[in-house]
Amino acid sequence: MNGTIERTANGGKGKRYRLDKPELLAPAGSLEKLKIAVHYGADAVYIGGQKYGLRSNADNFSFEEMREGVEFAARYGAKVFVATNIYAHQEDLEGIEEYLRRLEEVGISAIIAADPIIVETAMRVAPGLEVHLSTQQSTMNWQAVDYWKQEGLPRVVLARETSMEEIREMKERVDIELEVFIHGAMCSSVSGRCVLSNHFTDRDSNRGGCCQSCRWKYDLHEGGVSVMEEGDNPFTMGSKDLCMIKHVPDLIEAGVDSFKIEGRMKSIHYVASVVNAYRQAIDSYMADPQRYELNPAWVEEIGKAANRPLNTGFFYSTPGAEEHIYEAEEKPAPYDFAALVLDYDESTGIATVQQRSPFRPGMEVEFFGPGGRSFKQKLGELTDEQGNPLDAARHPLQAIKLRTDHPVERLDLMRKRIM
Amino acid sequence: MRTELLAAAGSIEQMERYIEAGANAVLIGEARFGMRLPGNIPEDRIAEAIDRAHRAGAKAYVSVNKLFRNSELPALPGYLKRLAEAKADAVVFGDPAVLLNVREAAPELPLHWNAEMTGTNSATSAYWGRRGAVRSVLARELNEEEILDLKGRSGMEIQVQVHGMTNIYHSQRNLLQSYMDHLGREARLVEQGPDRGRFLVEAERPEEKLPVYEDENGTHVMSADDIALLEALPELLNARVDSLYIETLLKPESYNLTAIRIYRQAIEAWERDPEGYECLEEWLDALHGQQPSDRELSFGFLYKEQVY
Ligand code: SF4
């Protein structure tokens, strides 16, 4: 990590803290999302492989894709971590060694593991892999952190129940990297301590089978009768999403080493927007902590890709009624991802973009790129690659040429206003 | 060696009645250190409880299985020392902080590793064995094949729950209180602790009633059915599963006494004559007879295949 600064905390009294620039760690559910996350400023990304991860989905990385991802990330000085965060059953034990060795071989920097047997096996057979303890272990006190330190781990991902004050104390007492979730959806249970899905659907949540049963609707009965009256919302265990964009200085000053964004299933639009916002906040704070101010544009940026109710989790107090979701959860986001910039010709001012959702001439769109670059414009004429005019960009992944009001860059995104 | 039949008890007197009924080990403690106990035996009475269990011929295990916060750690060394002096037969833990404290403050205390739903394989059990645990408490979401394989490979004592409800969700949030606040109703749920009066019903599953309660450790949701592995006892005993656990939480004492008596009788019958053993109708009738009509008795995950 670079960019160490020193400053005096507690208004000049108290001790001097040495503050390292924290890592911004982003989810990457596919190779394309990995590239976007890194391009928009993530210092590291975490991905899922074909096995041992909690997101079983078709987009998970093959070893080949991992290699390509590692190479791409390296060009930006970024690292790639792999989540191997299941709790293994007997049938999963065979093959762990081989899998971990392959991860090391393709250049993965670290695994994120919960099951101690995966932790221990990795240290034995793949010493080139760092082992980070997953949040699934629900580590929430400094002695538990110290236990993993003594076991030889360089980093612990803390339980989401940990408060800012507790993080500060951990950091003071144990010399280890602390990674903390700062943005995204989260389990309302203690991580790893929920088998609702196992019971309702025979799907094992601790091996990636969770069906979000905590967000379903329940009726609460008391003394044999429902507590619900006409018009009441049903009970749910669903928590609002975490969002710490307004509290970046607190996190840095508490000593958090890695800011983790949740969401391997999220779109590239979401990843780009969220990474973009936190990247700017962190950089701005590190450049001049004394004069740091929250830029409302960062908050807005996050809201453009997703419009979910947000909260600060356990950082400042135990979540209460306001922090849970009882009513319609998610409103549509005001913008939709429309195209990815593939190329820009400075001499003509024409960009080639790849269609991701339909758009047409006359539409109001916004182009944005890393570092908060953005501008709005009305779309003019569209053509296909051969220069044939189009009345609309209808086909997914079709290459479209259009004129932009200002220069754009490869991997900039174009989003369209939908409300 | 007599197979262990273990039950959790909420008071010293109840503990003695459970031992009398056939439990030869009891699990006790208080909510400051242990989670989901049927009642609290406070620190200043825990030595007496351990002593009385011993006099009655049973082992006394103390639950220290919660996930601790920084502010709760300073109480651990004193408590553990007290347990060691009182000759507790084991401390049950899930948080590695407890392991460190036992090493420091009371290295003679045997350790049982219980991380609830995350105790799922033999290699991880053996891992905690290498760190000092003598027993591994298995997740209730394992099937028989997994349990037997795990027992064969872990090289440790294995504890399996054979009866009662299981915890299926634990949150450190006060979800019931939050909901009542959201509805604008008066409620003080945390103070009530384990209470049989509340349950959740999921919209698509009106038949299933999930007991739920709140205490100082957060919100606990329990299974809609009670597991009853009586009919599978021979397989478990053949595999030399070391301890059979009866969960007594949220049940009337009379219910638990019956369950303990029946499992004890079955274990003894099997030990007298494993070949000629038969699961008696009258045992099953007694278990089913006392089962509330809205809670199924089931084999839990014993014969299930899970996907993910
Ligand atoms: S159901 Fe909810 S609390 Fe349980 S594992 Fe899934 S997301 Fe987490």
Side-chain angles (χ1 to χ4, degrees):
Chain A
M1 262 169 262
N2 46 12
T4 299
I5 58 164
E6 281 199 16
R7 69 183 289 247
T8 307
N10 309 334
K13 287 174 247 136
K15 59 175 157 180
R16 287 173 75 78
Y17 286 100
R18 196 177 183 82
L19 298 176
D20 290 319
K21 188 167 187 172
E23 166 188 281
L24 181 58
L25 174 58
S30 67
L31 193 52
E32 180 178 50
K33 290 176 196 170
L34 178 151
K35 291 178 178 175
I36 292 290
V38 168
H39 185 71
Y40 279 73
D43 301 302
V45 293
Y46 62 101
I47 64 174
Q50 300 294 328
K51 284 160 85 176
Y52 306 117
L54 277 186
R55 298 280 173 280
S56 5
N57 102 44
D59 275 349
N60 280 340
F61 284 63
S62 67
F63 291 117
E64 254 335 289
E65 288 170 318
M66 284 185 197
R67 205 188 286 277
E68 194 185 331
V70 167
E71 274 165 22
F72 182 90
R75 280 185 243 147
Y76 291 77
K79 295 176 182 165
V80 181
F81 306 157
V82 172
T84 54
N85 50 354
I86 62 160
Y87 280 101
H89 282 228
Q90 290 306 98
E91 62 184 5
D92 306 311
L93 293 175
E94 217 186 291
I96 293 178
E97 296 190 4
E98 167 63 16
Y99 184 76
L100 295 171
R101 282 202 194 93
R102 289 297 301 275
L103 295 182
E104 185 184 24
E105 220 175 270
V106 299
I108 297 302
S109 297
I111 58 162
I112 306 165
D115 195 324
I117 199 56
I118 297 182
V119 170
E120 201 186 41
T121 306
M123 298 207 282
R124 186 163 47 79
V125 307
L129 280 179
E130 273 192 12
V131 181
H132 299 170
L133 190 75
S134 164
T135 197
Q136 292 297 108
Q137 262 288 344
S138 288
T139 307
M140 55 177 90
N141 66 69
W142 71 263
Q143 288 182 342
V145 172
D146 193 31
Y147 171 83
W148 296 108
K149 158 91 185 167
Q150 291 178 28
E151 289 286 302
L153 277 70
R155 183 187 292 196
V156 168
V157 188
L158 295 177
R160 283 135 164 143
E161 286 76 9
T162 320
S163 74
M164 203 67 90
E165 203 42 56
E166 288 168 328
I167 295 171
R168 204 168 289 131
E169 189 180 352
M170 290 171 182
K171 207 55 205 175
E172 273 165 25
R173 290 185 182 262
V174 191
D175 180 19
I176 194 169
E177 290 175 3
L178 297 179
E179 179 177 313
V180 165
F181 276 95
I182 50 116
H183 197 93
M186 53 187 164
C187 281
S188 60
S189 75
V190 174
S191 294
R193 302 289 178 103
C194 168
V195 287
L196 290 172
S197 300
N198 306 52
H199 277 260
F200 289 141
T201 61
D202 291 339
R203 291 168 59 90
D204 186 0
S205 25
N206 282 329
R207 285 187 288 173
C210 155
C211 351
Q212 308 262 314
S213 318
C214 64
R215 297 181 187 271
W216 296 356
K217 293 181 170 29
Y218 298 81
D219 196 352
L220 172 62
H221 290 237
E222 228 174 43
V225 292
S226 168
V227 305
M228 266 205 282
E229 284 165 13
E230 182 88 24
D232 282 347
N233 291 310
F235 174 83
T236 85
M237 298 169 236
S239 145
K240 291 185 181 172
D241 280 18
L242 189 60
C243 174
M244 292 296 284
I245 189 68
K246 295 179 181 162
H247 307 279
V248 166
D250 278 5
L251 291 162
I252 297 179
E253 285 162 24
V256 172
D257 297 281
S258 177
F259 283 36
K260 184 175 206 163
I261 298 164
E262 178 278 342
R264 276 188 281 151
M265 314 290 269
K266 294 286 192 345
S267 66
I268 70 172
H269 181 205
Y270 179 89
V271 172
S273 304
V274 176
V275 169
N276 215 351
Y278 282 96
R279 175 77 282 152
Q280 293 174 69
I282 294 170
D283 288 351
S284 159
Y285 177 85
M286 295 308 290
D288 188 355
Q290 254 68 320
R291 298 234 296 276
Y292 173 87
E293 257 182 72
L294 177 77
N295 182 345
W298 305 330
V299 183
E300 255 172 61
E301 178 68 19
I302 287 171
K304 282 177 184 170
N307 193 356
R308 291 163 65 92
L310 301 169
N311 83 123
T312 58
F314 281 77
F315 282 105
Y316 300 104
S317 62
T318 301
E322 291 299 314
E323 281 74 39
H324 295 97
I325 301 169
Y326 302 107
E327 298 172 67
E329 248 184 69
E330 189 171 350
K331 300 187 191 81
Y335 285 86
D336 199 5
F337 177 32
L340 175 70
V341 176
L342 298 176
D343 196 21
Y344 176 69
D345 185 341
E346 261 172 71
S347 58
T348 59
I350 299 282
T352 309
V353 306
Q354 187 182 57
Q355 195 263 37
R356 292 307 175 89
S357 69
F359 54 91
R360 59 180 67 245
M363 225 172 209
E364 195 199 317
V365 297
E366 181 179 46
F367 286 91
F368 73 103
R373 275 189 298 111
S374 77
F375 62 91
K376 293 187 176 125
Q377 73 169 67
K378 252 198 175 58
L379 284 179
E381 183 184 296
L382 307 179
T383 69
D384 66 12
E385 273 190 298
Q386 287 71 42
N388 304 312
L390 298 169
D391 67 333
R394 289 203 179 78
H395 306 294
L397 304 184
Q398 187 184 8
I400 307 276
K401 287 181 181 287
L402 50 83
R403 178 177 302 280
T404 59
D405 290 358
H406 303 278
V408 293
E409 290 175 19
R410 182 178 158 74
L411 298 185
D412 282 0
L413 303 189
M414 182 182 100
R415 56 188 164 207
K416 61 185 179 192
R417 183 142 202 125
I418 49 175
M419 45 181 286
Chain B
M1 193 199 90
R2 282 173 94 204
T3 299
E4 181 173 290
L5 184 60
L6 169 66
S11 70
I12 297 182
E13 296 68 32
Q14 187 174 63
M15 176 190 90
E16 287 175 331
R17 289 191 288 273
Y18 287 169
I19 295 170
E20 169 88 47
N24 53 351
V26 286
L27 180 65
I28 52 178
E30 62 174 302
R32 272 202 304 149
F33 301 100
M35 283 195 293
R36 292 181 289 277
L37 287 156
N40 292 316
I41 298 181
E43 186 170 353
D44 59 9
R45 291 200 71 197
I46 195 78
E48 182 196 347
I50 294 167
D51 186 52
R52 279 166 69 173
H54 287 167
R55 277 171 212 243
K59 290 189 170 161
Y61 304 140
V62 180
S63 179
V64 188
N65 73 339
K66 75 181 224 176
L67 296 165
F68 290 84
R69 315 297 296 241
N70 287 350
S71 62
E72 296 167 331
L73 294 172
L76 269 174
Y79 189 60
L80 294 168
K81 275 199 194 106
R82 199 190 274 259
L83 299 180
E85 277 157 24
K87 303 234 165 350
D89 295 283
V91 155
V92 183
F93 82 104
D95 189 328
V98 177
L99 186 77
L100 292 188
N101 277 283
V102 167
R103 279 181 193 164
E104 278 279 311
E108 66 274 34
L109 266 181
L111 285 164
H112 291 178
W113 177 63
N114 181 0
E116 303 281 333
M117 23 307 243
T118 70
T120 49
N121 74 72
S122 56
T124 300
S125 296
Y127 168 95
W128 292 109
R130 290 193 290 281
R131 300 299 180 282
V134 295
R135 174 179 297 185
S136 176
V137 179
L138 302 196
R140 279 72 51 113
E141 294 75 29
L142 298 182
N143 64 31
E144 189 178 66
E145 199 184 322
E146 292 174 312
I147 294 171
L148 302 189
D149 193 39
L150 199 157
K151 167 61 195 167
R153 289 172 203 267
S154 69
M156 302 173 77
E157 287 179 22
I158 292 297
Q159 177 183 317
V160 172
Q161 181 174 335
V162 291
H163 200 90
M165 63 178 72
T166 64
N167 176 244
I168 64 173
Y169 171 98
H170 172 225
S171 174
Q172 290 199 344
R173 297 157 183 267
N174 298 321
L175 292 169
L176 298 181
Q177 185 68 49
S178 297
Y179 180 59
M180 294 313 251
D181 292 347
H182 166 75
L183 295 183
R185 308 273 172 77
E186 272 298 311
R188 299 176 67 77
L189 296 173
V190 175
E191 286 83 351
Q192 293 180 15
D195 173 284
R196 289 198 288 272
R198 287 186 189 79
F199 51 84
L200 297 176
V201 179
E202 198 272 313
E204 313 269 301
R205 296 168 175 76
E207 303 300 307
E208 298 179 22
K209 295 178 176 167
L210 308 162
V212 62
Y213 71 94
E214 213 158 90
D215 66 6
E216 60 210 272
N217 291 317
T219 308
H220 313 269
V221 180
M222 310 299 292
S223 59
D225 53 352
D226 289 309
I227 58 171
L229 306 191
L230 186 71
E231 288 166 278
L233 224 47
E235 287 101 280
L236 298 177
L237 294 173
N238 256 323
R240 303 262 171 252
V241 168
D242 303 87
S243 177
L244 307 178
Y245 178 63
I246 295 183
E247 180 56 81
T248 56
L249 185 64
L250 299 179
K251 295 279 192 237
E253 188 179 296
S254 59
Y255 176 101
N256 293 322
L257 285 168
T258 303
I260 293 168
R261 276 191 205 106
I262 286 168
Y263 280 88
R264 173 52 66 202
Q265 284 175 36
I267 294 167
E268 279 178 0
W270 185 87
E271 282 173 344
R272 266 196 310 275
D273 178 13
E275 312 290 282
Y277 173 86
E278 226 187 300
C279 179
L280 299 185
E281 269 321 304
E282 62 184 79
W283 298 337
L284 290 171
D285 287 348
L287 289 185
H288 284 279
Q290 69 168 354
Q291 193 63 18
S293 60
D294 56 0
R295 288 185 62 81
E296 202 189 324
L297 270 186
S298 83
F299 285 104
F301 287 81
L302 201 67
Y303 301 118
K304 275 190 190 165
E305 280 301 333
Q306 292 186 81
V307 294
Y308 51 94

